[in-house]
Amino acid sequence: MLMHQCCSDTARRPFTRVLLALVTLALGCSAETPRAAVMEGTSMDSSGVKIVSFDSLPVADGPLRLESRPWLQLGGLHENDSLEFDARGFELTAAELASGEIVVGDHQRLKYFQRSGKLLHIVGRAGHGPGEFTPIRQLCAQSDSTLSVIDFNGRWSQWDRAGNHRRTTERLGLVPFYGCSPDGTMLAQRADLSAPTPSSSRRRLLDTKVYGRDGAVVHDLGALSASEVFSQLFYDPGFALTAQSVIVGDPRTFEVRSYDLDRRVVTAMWRVKNALRPLTTESWDSLVQSSIPSNNTPANRQQMVAVWTRIGKPDAYPAFWRLHRDSASRIWLGVYFDTRRQIVLDVESGRLSRLTIPIDAKYRPSIAGFTSVGPIVRHFDDDGAVRLSFYRVVDNR
């Protein structure tokens, strides 16, 4: 994963250190002068679409924050290694069931915990059959206390609160992060192999459908934005699915839209002006050069540079990294290159806030899921072991 903290000295891979240096130079990491902790949106209606515009992003943390100490921590080093998490789990993820149990997708196993942190049981194993994972990519808690588990290969499976496997649905397309709903429906995108190669000026779109638990199509959404990669920059659209609507966040424009699933129309839009970070030609050329392996021949380097030149330079850095939706219907947008900071959109009040995860950047914190009271943060500790810290959201407005 590309996301690392701006000005952090913890990057371990050479290409990441180069990229951080470039981004630090391009964006700057000097101390900010607080101008606004909360941005108030301006609302208007246009042809039945509610549009909320923000003039800029908040540049200081506001009254919306996380408690300084987690109410629960899982993982770390233990004499009982069942309580530890597999460091190979690229997307260690967690969720809270409606019945209160906490489930952790630990690479190729599911670990069920009580809210007190007591381990209840472990199920699943590596493989391609029923009840097996290849490995786990994301968990999605259902309103009936069951759990949907999404594999990296695109399959998803259902499990009950006791850890019993119910069914497995074979791959129907790419399930984007948080493309699942508490009612058990799932959003998936399929590539059109006949479509032209995307470029910086041509958006990559994929056929998008919502499927029921049995794999049948429930809604056909047509062509929606898909993930795009330009050199070392990842433009991943964010999705949040409910029974009635789907939220789609556009990292190219800093726009979030809500689509009505039955009518297939946009009903609301939230957009941030003056928030995109321009990508200069100098920074882009440096990114391209740093993305080419050092052991490539001069001829191969020229070929790769020619490919990126043909595709073209994006106008701006990605607006955010990952979109999450919490139980209070707030939209969380990760600040690109800084996984500690989140921009939080309160769709009810029309306010935009910034908050900081209270974990040092050197431990590489990032959001792994949500409980009913706040985010679950994945990070490392002083021993290099993986931990999950559970926080409560405090709103002093």
Side-chain angles (χ1 to χ4, degrees):
M1 183 170 65
L2 183 64
M3 296 303 298
H4 293 271
Q5 287 72 26
C6 191
C7 293
S8 169
D9 61 356
T10 61
R12 299 179 179 180
R13 299 185 218 172
F15 85 86
T16 303
R17 288 196 294 269
V18 172
L19 178 57
L20 284 172
L22 293 169
V23 172
T24 300
L25 180 65
L27 305 183
C29 287
S30 58
E32 295 171 339
T33 301
R35 297 192 298 273
V38 177
M39 298 300 298
E40 301 284 350
T42 302
S43 299
M44 63 173 289
D45 288 327
S46 176
S47 301
V49 180
K50 177 183 178 181
I51 301 175
V52 182
S53 298
F54 302 91
D55 289 333
S56 63
L57 290 172
V59 295
D61 288 2
L64 189 71
R65 61 180 179 84
L66 303 183
E67 290 185 345
S68 59
R69 293 182 179 274
W71 59 271
L72 174 66
Q73 281 195 317
L74 299 175
L77 298 181
H78 294 273
E79 291 185 5
N80 178 2
D81 60 7
S82 295
L83 299 175
E84 299 179 4
F85 297 133
D86 194 327
R88 293 175 299 169
F90 177 71
E91 288 291 350
L92 181 71
T93 183
E96 179 187 41
L97 301 183
S99 52
E101 294 90 349
I102 292 166
V103 188
V104 177
D106 186 22
H107 194 44
Q108 294 171 320
R109 298 183 297 175
L110 294 175
K111 295 183 177 181
Y112 286 69
F113 295 86
Q114 292 180 343
R115 285 179 66 86
S116 63
K118 178 183 177 181
L119 179 64
L120 296 173
H121 40 263
I122 302 175
V123 299
R125 62 182 182 182
H128 298 268
E132 298 176 339
F133 306 111
T134 63
I136 296 169
R137 184 169 183 256
Q138 188 192 341
L139 305 183
C140 186
Q142 309 296 294
S143 56
D144 60 359
S145 295
T146 60
L147 181 75
S148 289
V149 183
I150 304 165
D151 278 14
F152 263 96
N153 69 359
R155 297 186 314 162
W156 73 83
S157 54
Q158 279 85 43
W159 301 73
D160 65 21
R161 59 178 294 190
N164 298 309
H165 174 256
R166 288 188 170 183
R167 68 175 64 86
T168 293
T169 302
E170 293 305 316
R171 175 185 170 91
L172 296 170
L174 172 67
V175 179
F177 283 95
Y178 298 93
C180 52
S181 169
D183 70 349
T185 55
M186 198 76 62
L187 185 148
Q189 297 184 304
R190 304 191 71 168
D192 179 3
L193 299 180
S194 64
T197 302
S199 67
S200 61
S201 60
R202 184 191 302 118
R203 304 301 300 273
R204 181 170 181 253
L205 304 175
L206 290 179
D207 181 50
T208 307
K209 293 182 174 63
V210 176
Y211 297 87
R213 294 191 183 194
D214 59 357
V217 175
V218 179
H219 300 284
D220 187 345
L221 305 182
L224 292 182
S225 298
S227 296
E228 300 173 296
V229 180
F230 296 98
S231 185
Q232 298 179 37
L233 299 178
F234 294 74
Y235 298 78
D236 281 328
F239 295 91
L241 183 66
T242 70
Q244 296 81 31
S245 65
V246 59
I247 297 286
V248 182
D250 190 340
R252 285 233 207 174
T253 62
F254 222 124
E255 209 173 67
V256 177
R257 299 186 178 204
S258 179
Y259 291 83
D260 183 281
L261 290 176
D262 290 325
R263 295 184 291 152
R264 291 181 56 183
V265 296
V266 177
T267 57
M269 180 190 307
W270 301 268
R271 58 192 181 192
V272 184
K273 298 179 289 185
N274 306 310
L276 296 179
R277 300 160 173 171
L279 177 60
T280 65
T281 300
E282 179 183 8
S283 296
W284 172 248
D285 290 343
S286 298
L287 284 170
V288 169
Q289 290 295 335
S290 65
S291 69
I292 302 174
S294 58
N295 60 351
N296 272 23
T297 65
N300 285 340
R301 294 183 68 88
Q302 290 180 0
Q303 290 176 357
M304 295 183 70
V305 170
V307 169
W308 288 118
T309 301
R310 184 172 66 253
I311 290 174
K313 177 185 73 68
D315 293 330
Y317 289 93
F320 56 81
W321 172 257
R322 294 279 166 83
L323 179 151
H324 306 265
R325 184 178 184 272
D326 66 14
S327 60
S329 298
R330 290 176 293 230
I331 304 300
W332 297 56
L333 302 164
V335 175
Y336 206 80
F337 296 120
D338 188 350
T339 54
R340 291 187 70 214
R341 289 196 172 96
Q342 296 283 322
I343 301 298
V344 183
L345 169 63
D346 189 328
V347 299
E348 297 298 329
S349 67
R351 289 180 172 179
L352 204 63
S353 305
R354 194 190 80 174
L355 61 78
T356 301
I357 296 172
I359 297 177
D360 195 290
K362 69 181 181 180
Y363 299 120
R364 301 193 299 183
S366 58
I367 292 181
F370 279 84
T371 68
S372 59
V373 296
I376 306 167
V377 179
R378 174 182 57 242
H379 61 95
F380 294 93
D381 61 18
D382 288 324
D383 298 311
V386 184
R387 286 183 179 269
L388 292 175
S389 293
F390 295 68
Y391 287 92
R392 288 187 175 87
V393 174
V394 178
D395 192 346
N396 292 325
R397 285 197 283 260

